[in-house]
Amino acid sequence: KTRATSVKEALSELPLTLNEADIIVPSKEVALAEGMAIGITRVTITEEVEETAIAFKTEEKEDDTLSWRKKEIQQKGEKGILATKLRIARHDGKEVKRTILSKEVIKEPVTEIVRQGTLVKTGKSHSGGASWYAHTGTLSAANPWLPFGSYVRVTNTANGKSVIVKINDRGPFGGGRIIDLDKVAFQEIASLGQGVVNVKMEEITN
């Protein structure tokens, strides 16, 4: 019960502290009517800073003093930090709007440097034909006599292109061929349409 004639007067009689941003419905200037309901949406506006991670880059460097199968981290990568200053509006505790005021990198990311070995030591060398077959889709190959798990470097004698493969199958047999490369390995040294190419096959000892 009140003798006030407007929403503003009625609110002034209540033990409430209103902020300038609070939403009053109906507005304060509206005249009171019998049974009228007055709604108050509490609005808070704050400025906050959010920190997010910045991904670091990875740089790979070849090292001819390191074995071709080794990879070592020379410099460990570190994520950077981006600070974003925000103005956030909340209605009755629920966020309804955020505005980006500024962005600042407070910590630059540190690039990770990785050393990739390229040193290849070879033993016996063989010459002959290399064919291809779709087997595993990896840099692997079949050979009639080399132990499973051994590695060889296969070089196309016509163009000098090389690929290192792992022996994991048996074949080919006959036709002057000494190795059957997986399809993806063959494509590293020749076009698939060639079918068979002359190669130098070197056994890798490291």
Side-chain angles (χ1 to χ4, degrees):
K1 294 181 179 181
T2 179
R3 293 185 178 184
T5 58
S6 68
V7 171
K8 182 177 181 179
E9 292 177 2
L11 291 175
S12 66
E13 296 176 356
L14 300 176
L16 293 174
T17 301
L18 297 175
N19 298 321
E20 288 185 10
D22 289 344
I23 301 171
I24 312 298
V25 179
S27 65
K28 294 179 180 180
E29 292 72 26
V30 173
L32 287 183
E34 185 72 25
M36 177 185 285
I38 301 173
I40 301 174
T41 301
R42 292 292 194 181
V43 177
T44 57
I45 298 177
T46 58
E47 289 189 1
E48 302 176 15
V49 175
E50 286 188 355
E51 293 184 355
T52 53
I54 304 173
F56 60 81
K57 296 179 181 179
T58 300
E59 180 182 332
E60 192 170 282
K61 294 183 177 181
E62 293 185 348
D63 188 336
D64 59 8
T65 66
L66 196 64
S67 173
W68 67 279
R69 282 194 281 177
K70 286 189 177 181
K71 186 178 285 189
E72 294 181 356
I73 295 177
Q74 180 178 326
Q75 176 177 281
K76 190 175 181 181
E78 294 181 12
K79 292 180 178 180
I81 300 175
L82 174 67
T84 303
K85 189 175 182 180
L86 303 165
R87 179 181 290 123
I88 300 178
R90 293 181 175 87
H91 290 184
D92 290 333
K94 183 179 180 180
E95 182 179 323
V96 295
K97 184 180 180 182
R98 59 171 51 200
T99 304
I100 296 175
L101 301 178
S102 65
K103 289 186 177 183
E104 181 185 3
V105 177
I106 58 177
K107 180 185 176 184
E108 293 286 351
V110 176
T111 299
E112 182 161 285
I113 300 176
V114 179
R115 293 165 56 218
Q116 173 61 62
T118 60
L119 177 63
V120 176
K121 295 179 181 180
T122 57
K124 292 181 180 180
S125 178
H126 313 271
S127 296
S131 51
W132 67 271
Y133 72 131
H135 181 56
T136 64
T138 61
L139 296 179
S140 55
N143 177 267
W145 69 87
L146 290 173
F148 283 173
S150 58
Y151 289 88
V152 293
R153 180 168 63 190
V154 181
T155 303
N156 185 338
T157 56
N159 58 22
K161 293 182 178 180
S162 298
V163 65
I164 294 177
V165 293
K166 183 178 182 179
I167 304 300
N168 67 352
D169 201 1
R170 287 290 175 233
F173 302 101
R177 293 175 296 152
I178 58 174
I179 193 165
D180 214 359
L181 296 170
D182 197 282
K183 180 179 178 180
V184 295
F186 191 91
Q187 288 176 305
E188 293 286 322
I189 63 170
S191 64
L192 297 179
Q194 290 184 256
V196 179
V197 293
N198 291 322
V199 298
K200 177 172 70 172
M201 183 182 74
E202 300 168 282
E203 298 179 25
I204 295 177
T205 59
N206 68 326

